[in-house]
């Protein structure tokens, strides 16, 4: 079965420091992709970063980078230089070729940035 | 600008009522999806549609119904058979590649 696991229900980080949010996945498909979304209290899902299974380089988008370790089936999100506005819920999600475009989500990690 | 519009933003339902949540997209995406989110939880798939006039059940379809008569529209009806409908509902659409996945801003449904 396809599954996303986020084992950190809540995380704290000091402003301006880096933080890593963990995500492990399970799929038997060769073609798949991992997403990270940010969900503030307003509820909207904000796309942060995407990593395809065939991408050789780790994805980066500004302060966000994805530490993709295919053999370990992990896709951790690294946020550098945390800001107060980064406080939100973060979701890891997976798309796979056999799953007809559906996304499978993890349970999420609540990040709080301390001043 | 292209995007997904969900309405209303907040919806209150009395016990035994059916209510319909609207989802409209102007991205020319073929696929559309409905997800449910309970407090502090991840998203779970209710229904999805990959083409007009066709749709499939997701993981938690009981008590919900959908239609896909137009490419742009994918309304979700929460029926009285859904015993615990209070949740946040998100609509999404996608084109050819997974990179194009787009979410609406959501509808928060409360049973009163």
């Amino acid at each position: 079965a396809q599954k996303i696991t986020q084992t950190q229900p809540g995380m704290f980080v000091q402003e301006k420091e880096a933080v890593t949010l963990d995500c492990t996945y399970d799929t038997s498909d060769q073609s798949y992709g991992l997403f990270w979304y940010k969900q503030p209290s307003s509820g909207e899902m904000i796309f942060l970063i995407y990593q395809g299974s065939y991408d050789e380089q780790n994805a980066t988008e500004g302060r966000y980078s994805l530490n993709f370790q295919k053999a370990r089936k992990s896709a951790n999100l690294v946020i550098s230089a945390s800001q107060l506005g980064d406080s939100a819920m973060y979701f890891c999600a997976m798309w796979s070729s056999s799953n007809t475009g559906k996304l499978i989500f993890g349970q999420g990690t609540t990040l709080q940035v301390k001043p | 600008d292209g995007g997904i519009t969900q309405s209303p933003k907040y919806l209150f339902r009395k016990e035994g009522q059916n209510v319909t949540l609207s989802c409209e997209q102007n991205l020319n995406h073929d696929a559309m999806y409905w997800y449910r989110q309970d407090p502090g939880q991840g998203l779970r798939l209710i229904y999805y549609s990959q083409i007009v006039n066709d749709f499939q059940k997701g993981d938690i379809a009981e008590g919900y119904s959908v239609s896909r008569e137009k490419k742009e529209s994918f309304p979700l009806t929460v029926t009285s058979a859904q015993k615990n409908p209070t949740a946040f509902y998100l609509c999404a659409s996608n084109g050819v590649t997974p990179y194009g996945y787009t979410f609406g801003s959501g509808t928060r449904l409360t049973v009163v």
Side-chain angles (χ1 to χ4, degrees), chain B residues 29-79:
Chain B
H29 284 167
D30 285 316
M32 297 187 74
Y33 309 84
W34 274 106
Y35 292 90
R36 169 179 170 144
Q37 186 181 24
D38 292 290
Q41 301 295 313
L43 279 65
R44 293 181 291 168
L45 184 66
I46 305 172
Y47 266 99
Y48 65 102
S49 167
Q50 293 180 288
I51 197 167
V52 175
N53 292 323
D54 188 42
F55 49 83
Q56 284 78 41
K57 292 181 179 180
D59 301 318
I60 55 166
E62 186 175 349
Y64 300 97
S65 66
V66 293
S67 63
R68 186 86 187 276
E69 296 176 1
K70 298 186 301 181
K71 188 175 186 178
E72 300 79 19
S73 179
F74 192 40
L76 173 74
T77 296
V78 184
T79 75

Side-chain angles (χ1 to χ4, degrees), chain B residues 6 21 34-36 46 64 76 85 87-90 106-107 109:
Chain B
Q6 287 188 244
L21 284 59
W34 274 106
Y35 292 90
R36 169 179 170 144
I46 305 172
Y64 300 97
L76 173 74
F88 187 57
Y89 292 87
L90 281 158
T107 293
L109 173 62

Side-chain angles (χ1 to χ4, degrees), chain A residues 54-65:
Chain A
Y54 294 118
D55 295 340
E56 295 184 353
Q57 304 281 343
N58 283 347
T60 60
E61 293 281 354
R63 294 186 300 112
Y64 304 107
S65 61

Side-chain angles (χ1 to χ4, degrees), chain A residues 28-79:
Chain A
S28 56
D29 290 336
Q30 296 301 308
S31 178
Y32 57 89
L34 286 309
F35 294 81
W36 276 94
Y37 288 93
K38 172 184 178 181
Q39 187 180 45
S41 56
S42 60
E44 62 184 311
M45 296 292 281
I46 300 170
F47 167 77
L48 297 178
I49 198 165
Y50 172 80
Q51 178 86 40
S53 59
Y54 294 118
D55 295 340
E56 295 184 353
Q57 304 281 343
N58 283 347
T60 60
E61 293 281 354
R63 294 186 300 112
Y64 304 107
S65 61
L66 201 151
N67 184 2
F68 183 49
Q69 298 189 39
K70 201 169 179 177
R72 298 180 60 185
K73 292 192 173 180
S74 73
N76 299 338
L77 176 70
V78 180
I79 305 174

Side-chain angles (χ1 to χ4, degrees), chain A:
Chain A
Q2 303 192 358
K3 191 177 179 181
I4 291 283
T5 303
Q6 295 181 253
T7 57
Q8 306 155 312
M11 292 276 288
F12 289 93
V13 65
Q14 206 68 36
E15 192 178 9
K16 299 180 185 177
E17 290 185 350
V19 62
T20 298
L21 306 184
D22 294 341
C23 172
T24 58
Y25 61 92
D26 190 15
T27 181
S28 56
D29 290 336
Q30 296 301 308
S31 178
Y32 57 89
L34 286 309
F35 294 81
W36 276 94
Y37 288 93
K38 172 184 178 181
Q39 187 180 45
S41 56
S42 60
E44 62 184 311
M45 296 292 281
I46 300 170
F47 167 77
L48 297 178
I49 198 165
Y50 172 80
Q51 178 86 40
S53 59
Y54 294 118
D55 295 340
E56 295 184 353
Q57 304 281 343
N58 283 347
T60 60
E61 293 281 354
R63 294 186 300 112
Y64 304 107
S65 61
L66 201 151
N67 184 2
F68 183 49
Q69 298 189 39
K70 201 169 179 177
R72 298 180 60 185
K73 292 192 173 180
S74 73
N76 299 338
L77 176 70
V78 180
I79 305 174
S80 63
S82 297
Q83 302 171 355
L84 295 177
D86 293 335
S87 294
M89 189 89 157
Y90 288 80
F91 289 99
C92 181
M94 178 173 65
W95 164 93
S96 65
S97 56
S98 68
N99 217 18
T100 57
K102 297 172 284 186
L103 289 185
I104 298 170
F105 284 83
Q107 292 291 87
T109 296
T110 300
L111 177 67
Q112 293 190 45
V113 180
K114 293 182 174 181

